């Protein structure tokens, strides 16, 4: 591990100032010059692998007193970015009214990691692409812009089939983000100019021509909270993976439905394990709304969700698998007892 400056921020202003100053003093490129430290479950790994080489680490754990609240309201939910994954997953109100959130967190990582990892850090985690995480491969556009993408013609079983570009096919690895994008969550951001909010769907950037720029956050900005409007008791998160514990998704689906008298009034469908960013399947949602549910409708919605998928040599199976996951998740959501 390379040497770095450690700073401990005691309030949001101090954290923002420290991160902004470190970013301004260096040319970050892909080796971000300043990084916040909360749970550290991703950052420390990447530093040990020499993938990320921050010159400054700003410990933001003291901010947890104001940024870790779990606040379910009558018609909304607010989650502090420094809330621990395990605490949110175990919360009774979230299990009752937002099971898609609780389940996405329970199915992520190990119990030990969930006890350490924060919500904000989880949505900011970087890809598990082996070509990104192994610095012996020079051609990775995320780590070394303009160098190419080794995964294109390499072993790409775990890579994306949606949202890909000719520059990058790395998969976004998280689970919680799929629940947030399905529920139209809003992300609250604290920076030098104060606080701002934006739809969670606008936080992550598809690879395009600049795979190394992964989010819309500006230097010095921190995620402070997430907000979800409404209640979604009829919601599920289904995850298919190579083994039942501590494994990233081959394909997953976050489903939230509003069903009245057998008719689907509203439908939310998000996909994980198959896309370069948290992925909302709006074509599938459009097919579901206003319809009576049956197996045929579930299959048509699943087909629509993957209509634009582009498989490669080793990952084409994800298209068929993903359709099965979506159809099964829809069936589970419709038959839930609430």
């Amino acid at each position: 591990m390379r040497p770095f400056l450690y700073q401990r921020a005691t309030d949001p202003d101090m954290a923002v100032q420290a991160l902004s100053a470190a970013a301004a003093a260096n040319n970050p490129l892909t080796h971000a010059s300043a990084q916040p430290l909360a749970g550290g479950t991703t950052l420390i790994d990447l530093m040990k692998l020499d993938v990320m080489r921050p010159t400054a680490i700003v410990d933001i754990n003291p901010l947890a007193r104001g940024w870790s609240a779990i606040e379910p309201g009558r018609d909304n939910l607010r989650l502090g970015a420094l809330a621990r994954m395990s605490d949110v997953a175990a919360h009774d109100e979230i299990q009752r009214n937002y099971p898609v959130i609780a389940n996405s967190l329970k199915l992520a990582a190990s119990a030990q990691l969930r006890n350490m990892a924060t919500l904000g850090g989880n949505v900011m985690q970087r890809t598990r692409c082996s070509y990104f995480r192994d610095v012996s491969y020079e051609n990775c556009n995320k780590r070394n812009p303009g160098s190419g993408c080794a995964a294109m013609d390499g072993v790409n079983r775990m890579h994306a089939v949606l949202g890909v570009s000719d520059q990058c096919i790395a998969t976004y690895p998280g689970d919680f983000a799929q629940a947030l994008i399905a529920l139209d969550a809003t992300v609250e951001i604290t920076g030098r100019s104060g606080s701002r909010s934006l739809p969670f769907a606008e936080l992550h950037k598809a690879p395009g021509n600049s795979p190394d720029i992964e989010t819309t956050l500006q230097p010095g900005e921190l995620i402070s909270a997430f907000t979800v409007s409404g209640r979604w008791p009829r919601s599920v998160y289904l995850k298919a993976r190579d083994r039942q514990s501590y494994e990233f998704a081959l394909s997953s689906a976050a489903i939230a439905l509003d069903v009245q008298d057998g008719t689907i009034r509203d439908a939310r469908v998000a996909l994980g394990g198959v896309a370069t960013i948290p992925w909302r399947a709006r074509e599938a949602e459009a097919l579901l709304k206003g319809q009576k549910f049956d197996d045929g409708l579930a299959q048509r919605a699943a087909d629509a969700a993957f209509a634009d998928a582009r498989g490669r040599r080793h990952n084409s199976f994800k298209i068929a698998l993903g359709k099965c996951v979506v159809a099964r998740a829809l069936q589970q959501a419709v038959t839930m007892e609430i």
Side-chain angles (χ1 to χ4, degrees):
M1 188 177 291
R2 298 169 184 267
F4 57 87
L5 173 67
Y6 171 85
Q7 296 174 272
R8 188 171 174 85
T10 57
D11 58 62
D13 287 342
M14 182 179 177
V16 168
Q17 290 173 7
L19 288 166
S20 299
N26 294 275
N27 179 13
L29 295 178
T30 56
H31 303 143
S33 60
Q35 286 290 305
L37 173 69
T41 56
T42 294
L43 176 62
I44 301 304
D45 280 349
L46 293 175
M47 290 173 66
K48 288 180 176 179
L49 292 170
D50 208 29
V51 173
M52 295 182 71
R53 307 169 187 171
T55 57
I57 297 293
V58 180
D59 188 341
I60 61 172
N61 282 290
L63 279 57
R65 282 173 289 182
W67 285 13
S68 62
I70 303 170
E71 301 174 302
R74 177 174 295 181
D75 291 309
N76 59 38
L77 170 67
R78 188 176 186 275
L79 300 170
L82 292 181
R84 305 292 170 173
M85 292 172 62
S86 56
D87 292 336
V88 178
H91 197 283
D92 288 342
E93 288 279 345
I94 294 173
Q95 291 183 2
R96 184 180 307 113
N97 294 313
Y98 307 92
V100 66
I101 291 178
N103 291 337
S104 71
L105 293 169
K106 288 177 183 177
L107 293 174
S110 64
Q112 295 90 338
L113 287 174
R114 293 195 299 271
N115 286 337
M116 285 293 297
T118 63
L119 300 186
N122 184 261
V123 302
M124 292 292 290
Q125 67 181 296
R126 306 193 71 183
T127 183
R128 261 57 185 181
C129 172
S130 56
Y131 300 104
F132 168 75
R133 294 171 67 88
D134 187 342
V135 295
S136 66
Y137 292 97
E138 293 185 3
N139 47 338
C140 171
N141 285 322
K142 276 190 180 294
R143 182 166 32 80
N144 186 16
S147 63
C149 176
M152 295 285 185
D153 298 313
V155 178
N156 46 45
R157 179 176 181 267
M158 298 298 293
H159 288 70
V161 297
L162 289 166
V164 300
S165 74
D166 58 2
Q167 301 294 314
C168 182
I169 58 172
T171 305
Y172 175 80
D175 298 292
F176 175 53
Q178 320 310 332
L180 290 178
I181 199 169
L183 299 184
D184 273 337
T186 298
V187 57
E188 299 175 18
I189 297 167
T190 298
R192 286 174 291 182
S193 301
S195 297
R196 66 184 179 101
S197 298
L198 77 160
F200 182 78
E202 296 178 9
L203 177 63
H204 294 89
K205 298 187 70 171
N209 293 322
S210 302
D212 55 307
I213 302 175
E214 297 178 340
T215 75
T216 56
L217 292 182
Q218 299 300 311
E221 287 190 325
L222 290 164
I223 296 174
S224 48
F226 305 95
T227 304
V228 174
S229 298
R231 292 186 175 187
W232 295 91
R234 188 178 297 280
S235 60
V236 301
Y237 183 72
L238 182 63
K239 181 176 180 178
R241 45 189 171 173
D242 284 326
R243 58 183 181 183
Q244 281 298 101
S245 65
Y246 194 22
E247 186 61 271
F248 295 96
L250 291 171
S251 179
S252 65
I255 306 290
L257 300 177
D258 178 8
V259 180
Q260 299 291 333
D261 299 323
T263 299
I264 301 172
R265 294 177 54 189
D266 197 3
R268 309 288 180 81
V269 180
L271 310 177
V274 294
T276 54
I277 56 175
W279 195 264
R280 184 82 174 266
R282 296 188 183 275
E283 297 83 1
E285 296 172 358
L287 277 175
L288 293 165
K289 292 177 183 178
Q291 302 298 312
K292 298 283 188 180
F293 182 83
D294 58 31
D295 291 344
L297 178 63
Q299 189 58 57
R300 291 194 300 276
D303 290 340
F306 285 86
D308 295 327
R310 293 166 52 192
R312 300 188 77 87
R313 179 180 179 186
H314 302 109
N315 69 353
S316 292
F317 76 96
K318 282 191 173 188
I319 299 173
L321 175 64
K323 292 179 181 180
C324 290
V325 170
V326 169
R328 183 176 297 180
L330 284 168
Q331 292 164 345
Q332 290 184 4
V334 167
T335 57
M336 285 180 69
E337 294 185 6
I338 60 172

